[in-house]
């Protein structure tokens, strides 16, 4: 089983580069975030010929998450169950009757003095409370998506530039670190303890990719059962290097 998570930064604006991923046929499951389209306007017709089952939780102009799977998709939950939220940020489902996936697009939060920052922290706290039920489950549970948190300074190309920015704020880092401390496995970091692993490179200014000016914002977290199945986790640069790229790389997880 090979799973890709990718912030697409508008499924309509970057449809062609996303189609390249589906045409390649490498992934059994693709989890995408930041669709920026309502369910009724999701361009299903573009993807029909590639053999994926699709579940969407969309929103006009902002947010939105979707799962593409070559296998069945069942037991679908749209929206974080324990948090009242108008934003489409959470999609949970069971793939092939075997793997529980949680696709997340966590709040950015802007800056620490922004009114958006408390919402980010509240959302993350509720999310942590919700996923606690799955940590010791015999069912493999995989959380993937854009977490909008650079967990440590080594996940930021220039930490000084991100002082006061929500994605690197100590409060957000502390909440996410508590999930790892409880037993969730950060698949990339487990296999690449000394690498940067940047998954986001901005569009502006100089060649941010070539100069390594990135952030690690995309993750796969695995419960104890899924953690034992991890065979590989690698960054897929292709979406970021496409002709009309999203600003994120893909992150691939391979299960035994």
């Amino acid at each position: 089983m090979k799973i890709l998570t990718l912030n697409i930064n508008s499924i309509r604006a970057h449809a062609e580069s996303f189609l390249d991923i589906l045409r390649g046929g490498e992934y059994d499951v693709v989890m995408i975030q930041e669709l920026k389209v309502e369910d009724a306007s999701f361009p299903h017709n573009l993807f029909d010929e590639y053999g994926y089952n699709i579940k969407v939780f969309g929103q006009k102009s902002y947010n939105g998450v979707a799962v593409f799977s070559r296998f069945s998709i069942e037991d679908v939950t749209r929206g974080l169950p324990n948090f009242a939220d108008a934003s489409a940020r959470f999609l949970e489902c069971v793939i092939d009757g075997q793997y529980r996936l949680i696709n997340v697009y966590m709040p950015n939060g802007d800056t620490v003095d922004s009114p958006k920052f408390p919402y980010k922290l509240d959302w993350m706290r509720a999310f942590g409370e919700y996923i606690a039920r799955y940590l010791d489950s015999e069912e493999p549970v995989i959380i993937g998506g854009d977490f909008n948190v650079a967990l440590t300074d080594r996940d930021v190309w220039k930490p000084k530039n991100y002082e006061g920015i929500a994605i690197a704020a100590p409060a957000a880092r502390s909440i996410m670190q508590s999930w790892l401390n409880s037993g969730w496995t950060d698949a990339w970091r487990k296999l690449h303890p000394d690498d940067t692993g940047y998954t986001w490179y901005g569009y502006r200014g100089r060649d941010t990719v070539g100069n390594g000016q990135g952030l690690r914002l995309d993750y796969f977290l695995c419960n104890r059962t899924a953690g034992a199945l991890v065979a590989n986790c690698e960054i897929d640069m292709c979406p970021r290097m496409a002709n009309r790229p999203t600003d994120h790389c893909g992150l691939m997880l391979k299960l035994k």
Side-chain angles (χ1 to χ4, degrees):
M1 172 79 74
K2 290 185 74 172
I3 307 170
L4 181 76
T5 182
L6 173 67
N7 180 316
I8 196 65
N9 193 15
S10 176
I11 188 64
R12 290 183 289 195
H14 301 118
E16 192 58 37
S17 61
F18 184 65
L19 283 169
D20 286 342
I21 294 171
L22 302 187
R23 292 182 188 117
E26 180 178 357
Y27 297 108
D28 300 303
V29 177
V30 182
M31 308 161 66
I32 55 175
Q33 305 87 40
E34 206 170 357
L35 305 178
K36 298 183 177 180
V37 66
E38 293 174 297
D39 289 14
S41 301
F42 187 85
H44 285 274
N45 60 301
L46 295 179
F47 314 121
D48 287 343
E49 65 184 279
Y50 299 101
Y52 286 90
N53 297 304
I54 305 172
K55 298 296 181 182
V56 178
F57 181 35
Q59 181 180 342
K60 185 178 181 180
S61 303
Y62 300 98
N63 309 315
V65 284
V67 173
F68 287 61
S69 173
R70 295 191 184 279
F71 306 102
S72 63
I73 306 177
E74 302 164 330
D75 194 17
V76 177
T77 301
R78 294 173 173 86
L80 184 56
N82 61 334
F83 189 82
D85 192 5
S87 299
R89 298 186 176 278
F90 177 102
L91 179 62
E92 178 179 350
C93 60
V94 174
I95 302 295
D96 196 30
Q98 300 182 67
Y99 307 94
R100 182 171 296 275
L101 299 188
I102 299 177
N103 184 6
V104 293
Y105 177 48
M106 296 191 188
N108 179 288
D110 200 10
T111 61
V112 296
D113 55 357
S114 163
K116 298 178 181 179
F117 188 57
Y119 163 68
K120 176 188 181 77
L121 299 183
D122 289 344
W123 200 100
M124 292 181 68
R125 291 187 188 103
F127 181 77
E129 292 170 1
Y130 180 75
I131 64 173
R133 71 194 64 196
Y134 291 131
L135 177 59
D136 295 312
S137 173
E138 294 182 2
E139 181 182 43
V141 180
I142 301 105
I143 304 167
D146 179 357
F147 284 51
N148 267 316
V149 177
L151 186 58
T152 70
D153 279 355
R154 65 176 167 175
D155 300 312
V156 181
W157 73 276
K158 194 172 184 180
K160 187 175 181 180
N161 287 10
Y162 289 85
E163 292 176 359
I165 304 300
I167 59 173
R173 287 177 166 180
S174 178
I175 293 171
M176 184 172 170
Q177 186 61 53
S178 72
W179 308 337
L180 305 183
N181 292 347
S182 71
W184 288 91
T185 296
D186 176 350
W188 164 266
R189 187 55 71 202
K190 177 183 178 180
L191 298 177
H192 305 273
D194 301 316
D195 297 336
T196 54
Y198 298 155
T199 61
W200 176 91
Y201 296 90
Y203 295 127
R204 299 177 182 177
R206 296 174 295 173
D207 178 8
T208 59
V209 178
N211 289 305
Q213 298 177 2
L215 304 167
R216 187 167 81 107
L217 301 179
D218 303 86
Y219 299 80
F220 279 112
L221 301 189
C222 300
N223 75 343
R224 300 188 200 281
T225 302
L229 301 177
V230 172
N232 197 11
C233 188
E234 300 291 344
I235 294 170
D236 185 342
M237 291 291 297
C238 291
R240 183 61 184 84
M241 305 306 291
N243 288 332
R244 292 193 64 189
T246 173
D247 49 358
H248 284 250
C249 307
L251 185 65
M252 179 276 293
L253 179 70
K254 184 177 182 181
L255 302 177
K256 298 174 185 176

